[in-house]
Amino acid sequence: MSKFNMSLTKVPMAEQDPKVRARNFSEVALGYSMEEAVEEAKRCLQCKDAPCIKMCPVSVNIPAFVGKIAEEDFDGAYMSIINDNNLPAVCGRVCPQESQCESKCVRGLKGEPVGIGRLERWIADYAREKGLHPHMEVEKNGKKVAVVGSGPAGLSCAGELAKKGYEVTIFEALHKEGGVLTYGIPEFRLPKAIVKSEIDEIKKLGVKIERNVIVGKSITVDELMKEGFEAVFIGSGAGLPKFMRIEGENLKGVYSANEFLTRVNLMKAYEEDKTPVHRGDKVAVVGGGNVAMDAARTALRLGAQKVYIIYRRGEEELPARLEEIHHAKEEGIEFKLLNNPVKLLGDERNWLRGIECIRMELGEADDSGRRRPVEVEGSNFVLEIDTVIMAIGQSPNPLIKQTTEELKTHSWGGLIVEEETMETSKENVYAGGDVVSGAATVILAMGAGKIAAEAIDKKLK
Amino acid sequence: MYEILEKEILNPNIEKMEVKAPYIAKKCRAGQFLMVMVEEDGERIPLTIADYNREKESVTIVYQIVGYTTKLLSRMNKGDYLFAVSGPMGKAVEHSEENKKILGIGGGVGAAPLLPQIKEYHELGIECDVILGARNEEYIILEDDFVKYASNIYFCTDDGSKGHQGFVTEVLKELVEKDNKYGEVIAIGPLPMMKAVVDITKKLDLKTSVSLNPIMIDGTGMCGGCRLTYDGKTKFACVDGPDFDGFKVDFDELMSRADMYKEHEKKHICKLEEGGKNNE
């Protein structure tokens, strides 16, 4: 058996057929088999100064875990990755590998990069099935740290601190743990049983999670510190929905993506039917990021006959993960690019009936580096629609800032932190993830949580 | 954790519960509300905190049985546990600097959120009058509590079984149109009632606060489902309210948005009524 697989393409990974999966909530990607994983792992050349590691926000030692899969030392592969990344089953599924690890893979120069994401997913699923647990003999140091939010930033920070011996308690505002992993990302991309299983592993490290506690309302950051927590990490996310502020936005049938996804993912409106969700027939999702893709594909699965994505820039500018855009198109979602809503139209009972849009063209680049969309005068048209989902961004929830005076924020709400330590303007209070950066990715949040954990440990030692 | 410490049936449609909720009991103020879940994977519903006991670490909620979840709630008894109770949500009521008399108007189950506000004003030494309105005598609630805090209570029923026969607005008119001694009106009840009160007080420039309870999911400002148009701008009832200046609220839009899930609710209650008896 040769050591390296020199094939120029990734071993294909099975997926549900688009027509079938557009009507169910089961996971779209079906994962590798053991043989396929080993075959793909052998494509990795074990580069000495591996460029992929530097592109990973949590610095996973990629050649190490991939190498062990290739050698069929699966336990070893799992121990390797879990050391660097507390949520591998999640990251393997939702990371934008094409702009991170895989973008710099040497194999990608001539053909396709190594399927690093697929391998991370495979080894994490394997470990879960086999009941492998990270071996952790940790000496507790008796110091308490509080973490706000049980999303990826909080979970990552808590996990790292627990490994270093701290007594960590996570305070979660909702009745279920996971943050966006639970309420934001749909079941068909990230099964909730997997999220629960990953969180259980973190709890096994000794991390406590208290649900239904809203820091900023049920208890303040100052009060937490009075209770003996020597440091606080804020990972409360970006849960404030943005609306366009156009006419008709308060008509019935208009949702923020947050509300729509929370009803379906967190409250299980697609199967439990206790919390309702308006199941539109003709749905328009405004936006071009992952949240927009999630909302559109969810609307389809709820039974919509027609789903549009309306995005004001073009194909190149779509910020969503490539695989999500690809899957959305396969499932039959129509992309109306270079279009922007002008107003929403309703009937006499105030139900949404249509959306008036205008065509756009791309002008000069703006601050973010993306070309600014400019309206094409007189190109207005109306689409018949009964549901609109606004997925144009989320900003940080201001509840904590409102009750913690010393916290400095940007004008748009993001907490200001020291880049190297993630410490805020309030001593011993750290923050990371979307609450600092604005809506971004799971892995970036995890990276921030890791940096903060290191910094907290350094300070409290 | 969220044990039901006491339960009282006020009338066939309205019940009162005292629930253990340590975090909320420690911090809540009048005007704030909480979210309740009766079962895992059930609905989250907002309920105003009608009273609280900081030593006992408990809060009191009063709810009307109007849909699936409140019906489920009515089947729970003392000693049972609720799945989740979180809060306190919303802004605490801000008290005006002036020492003028307050007129509270509670319509139906709206009397429950009115109570903590009247209690707080009373504790601050400010005199309060209260109008309590309901369809008939049986549906007037919390009278014994209001008696402790209000100087005068005026009753109002549709059928005249207690107090004035007619609407609360008629009593309001009588009290304010001739000789207004009030600095502020607090009106809490069904949307049409609050709108009707504002129609009267706006003409007199008599400051009026209302308490809104649109459909909510999280209660922390995360989804925008509870949005309303206020003074021409969009506000979220869960974080900017639930108490608002009645003059600036677009009641028509709120009433329209409130019926979004009516069809769904109808189907649901039928399912629940088919199996089992109602709570004894």
Side-chain angles (χ1 to χ4, degrees), chain A residues 312-313 338 360-364 366 370-375:
Chain A
R312 58 191 180 142
R313 291 183 167 102
L338 291 166
M360 312 291 279
E361 55 190 11
L362 293 178
E364 297 296 307
D366 68 10
R370 284 179 293 169
R371 292 176 68 190
R372 266 187 71 224
V374 171
E375 287 182 0

Side-chain angles (χ1 to χ4, degrees), chain B residues 74-87:
Chain B
S74 75
R75 289 188 181 173
M76 308 283 278
N77 291 303
K78 178 172 171 171
D80 290 336
Y81 289 81
L82 297 176
F83 175 69
V85 181
S86 64

Side-chain angles (χ1 to χ4, degrees), chain A residues 176 218 249 252 255-256 258, chain B residues 41 87 222-223 227 259 261:
Chain A
K176 268 209 173 105
S218 315
E249 231 170 1
K252 286 175 284 200
Y255 279 124
S256 70
N258 263 10
Chain B
D41 285 338
M222 192 182 123
C223 78
R227 63 191 184 277
D259 69 34
Y261 301 102

Side-chain angles (χ1 to χ4, degrees), chain A residues 175-176 210 212 217-218 223 239 241 245 249-250 252 254-256 258-259 262-263 267 273-274 350 397, chain B residues 2 23 27 37 39 41-42 44 87-88 90 220 222-223 225 227 229 234 253 256-257 259 261 264 268:
Chain A
H175 58 278
K176 268 209 173 105
E210 267 195 60
N212 302 308
K217 288 305 248 202
S218 315
E223 283 162 355
R245 310 284 181 213
E249 231 170 1
N250 292 348
K252 286 175 284 200
V254 181
Y255 279 124
S256 70
N258 263 10
E259 182 179 359
T262 297
R263 280 177 184 274
M267 310 305 291
D273 205 34
K274 281 168 193 159
N350 291 319
N397 189 305
Chain B
Y2 310 103
Y23 282 101
K27 278 195 116 15
M37 283 183 81
E39 49 179 8
D41 285 338
R44 287 170 67 95
T220 59
M222 192 182 123
C223 78
R227 63 191 184 277
T229 299
T234 298
E253 185 184 82
S256 162
R257 286 177 63 75
D259 69 34
Y261 301 102
H264 179 273
H268 240 219

Side-chain angles (χ1 to χ4, degrees), chain A residues 153-314:
Chain A
L155 289 169
S156 163
C157 185
E160 293 300 313
L161 284 170
K163 283 183 200 168
K164 296 181 203 295
Y166 291 89
E167 230 183 276
V168 187
T169 303
I170 300 179
F171 294 93
E172 168 55 51
L174 293 172
H175 58 278
K176 268 209 173 105
E177 302 142 356
V180 279
L181 303 177
T182 298
Y183 78 74
I185 304 178
E187 176 73 20
F188 56 84
R189 271 224 285 150
L190 183 62
K192 303 311 151 204
I194 291 177
V195 175
K196 179 176 187 304
S197 168
E198 299 269 272
I199 295 177
D200 282 345
E201 289 305 311
I202 292 180
K203 285 184 186 167
K204 285 186 189 134
L205 295 170
V207 173
K208 274 184 255 151
I209 305 184
E210 267 195 60
R211 295 182 265 171
N212 302 308
V213 180
I214 310 161
V215 174
K217 288 305 248 202
S218 315
I219 191 165
T220 63
V221 168
D222 287 303
E223 283 162 355
L224 281 173
M225 299 189 98
K226 284 201 196 107
E227 301 235 328
F229 291 103
E230 295 185 40
V232 178
F233 173 78
I234 301 172
S236 52
L240 188 69
K242 276 200 204 131
F243 284 100
M244 283 187 78
R245 310 284 181 213
I246 54 175
E247 193 185 316
E249 231 170 1
N250 292 348
L251 288 166
K252 286 175 284 200
V254 181
Y255 279 124
S256 70
N258 263 10
E259 182 179 359
F260 181 70
L261 292 172
T262 297
R263 280 177 184 274
V264 179
N265 299 329
L266 177 69
M267 310 305 291
K268 304 253 178 78
Y270 68 96
E271 81 181 359
E272 287 285 336
D273 205 34
K274 281 168 193 159
T275 295
V277 72
H278 176 63
R279 290 166 186 254
D281 230 11
K282 300 205 191 90
V283 182
V285 176
V286 180
N290 289 322
V291 177
M293 298 304 138
D294 286 344
R297 296 168 70 198
T298 297
L300 197 61
R301 284 157 172 75
L302 289 176
Q305 287 311 307
K306 185 80 201 160
V307 179
Y308 299 101
I309 285 266
I310 300 180
Y311 181 58
R312 58 191 180 142
R313 291 183 167 102

